[in-house]
Amino acid sequence: MKFIDEKGRFFGVLNIIDLLIILLVLGAIAGIFAKTSVLKRINRNFTEVPARMQLIVENVRQTTADAVKPGDIIKEVRSGEQLGVVKEVKVEDYKEKAADSQGNWHMSPVPDKKTIFITLEGNLKSYNNEFRAGQTDIKIGSKVNVKSNMYTFEGYILKIETIKQGNGK
């Protein structure tokens, strides 16, 4: 019996295209299994670290700025994991570069737009010495989509500091 017969079938049973499709499906199944089992192992190995974070949210309406209050629980949008509790809210006018009549550039306030600085305290999950909420990296400069029960917005992390247990600093 030949390995490939005159009709292009392996051992007279399976043609080449069918074999390629079977191998592709088996490879996809193996890849999905490997990825999910690796993620499960990574997600189990974390420690919770008390931390204080500062978020900046720019170019929002006054109503959004007014909605953010101390005591609000802030969560990461995709995973729903809690990032922290709002401790302090500071609202400033949002500014953009604008040219004056002589062509000089200045930072000018944009009417009806605000910048919010939000200080959060909570427990961050540390995976291999990196903070994460769901699959979102929590690092200085990273963009995070956050929500509470009253609002949702996109912000950037300005500062992260761990809180030493016992004295609150």
Side-chain angles (χ1 to χ4, degrees), residues 1 8 11 30 36 39-40 44 46 51 58 81 107 111-112 120 132 137:
M1 180 181 238
F11 303 110
T36 56
L39 288 176
K40 284 179 186 175
R44 274 188 266 158
F46 69 87
E58 297 181 297
E81 285 189 29
M107 295 301 286
D112 301 323
L120 303 172
R132 220 181 270 158
D137 287 336

Side-chain angles (χ1 to χ4, degrees), residues 110-152:
V110 176
D112 301 323
K113 294 293 183 170
K114 301 294 178 184
T115 297
I116 313 169
F117 296 91
I118 303 169
T119 302
L120 303 172
E121 285 186 9
N123 292 324
L124 291 177
K125 290 185 178 178
S126 176
Y127 299 87
N128 302 324
N129 295 322
E130 291 186 9
F131 296 124
R132 220 181 270 158
Q135 296 302 315
T136 302
D137 287 336
I138 304 298
K139 296 179 179 182
I140 294 171
S142 60
K143 178 172 56 171
V144 291
N145 292 315
V146 295
K147 67 179 179 178
S148 78
N149 61 343
M150 296 294 290
Y151 47 81
T152 183

Side-chain angles (χ1 to χ4, degrees), residues 47-64:
T47 57
E48 287 195 351
V49 179
R52 184 176 298 115
M53 287 183 292
Q54 187 175 38
L55 298 176
I56 183 172
V57 183
E58 297 181 297
N59 197 12
V60 296
R61 294 184 189 103
Q62 181 68 51
T63 54
T64 304

Side-chain angles (χ1 to χ4, degrees), residues 4-161:
I4 298 176
D5 67 9
E6 61 278 348
K7 292 182 181 178
R9 295 184 293 184
F10 287 100
F11 303 110
V13 178
L14 206 57
N15 70 29
I16 295 173
I17 294 173
D18 291 339
L19 180 64
L20 291 175
I21 290 172
I22 291 170
L23 290 176
L24 184 68
V25 169
L26 290 175
I29 290 170
I32 290 169
F33 177 75
K35 185 171 183 170
T36 56
S37 63
V38 167
L39 288 176
K40 284 179 186 175
R41 271 188 276 137
I42 289 172
N43 288 339
R44 274 188 266 158
N45 298 324
F46 69 87
T47 57
E48 287 195 351
V49 179
R52 184 176 298 115
M53 287 183 292
Q54 187 175 38
L55 298 176
I56 183 172
V57 183
E58 297 181 297
N59 197 12
V60 296
R61 294 184 189 103
Q62 181 68 51
T63 54
T64 304
D66 292 341
V68 182
K69 304 278 187 231
D72 290 351
I73 296 173
I74 301 289
K75 298 178 180 181
E76 194 271 335
V77 169
R78 286 190 296 167
S79 67
E81 285 189 29
Q82 182 174 325
L83 288 179
V85 176
V86 175
K87 294 297 180 181
E88 184 181 337
V89 179
K90 183 179 172 189
V91 179
E92 296 179 356
D93 289 332
Y94 175 67
K95 297 179 180 178
E96 287 184 346
K97 280 186 177 182
D100 62 16
S101 58
Q102 285 99 25
N104 298 319
W105 290 92
H106 300 281
M107 295 301 286
S108 300
V110 176
D112 301 323
K113 294 293 183 170
K114 301 294 178 184
T115 297
I116 313 169
F117 296 91
I118 303 169
T119 302
L120 303 172
E121 285 186 9
N123 292 324
L124 291 177
K125 290 185 178 178
S126 176
Y127 299 87
N128 302 324
N129 295 322
E130 291 186 9
F131 296 124
R132 220 181 270 158
Q135 296 302 315
T136 302
D137 287 336
I138 304 298
K139 296 179 179 182
I140 294 171
S142 60
K143 178 172 56 171
V144 291
N145 292 315
V146 295
K147 67 179 179 178
S148 78
N149 61 343
M150 296 294 290
Y151 47 81
T152 183
F153 46 72
E154 182 179 274
Y156 291 88
I157 297 175
L158 290 179
K159 186 191 296 186
I160 301 172
E161 54 189 27

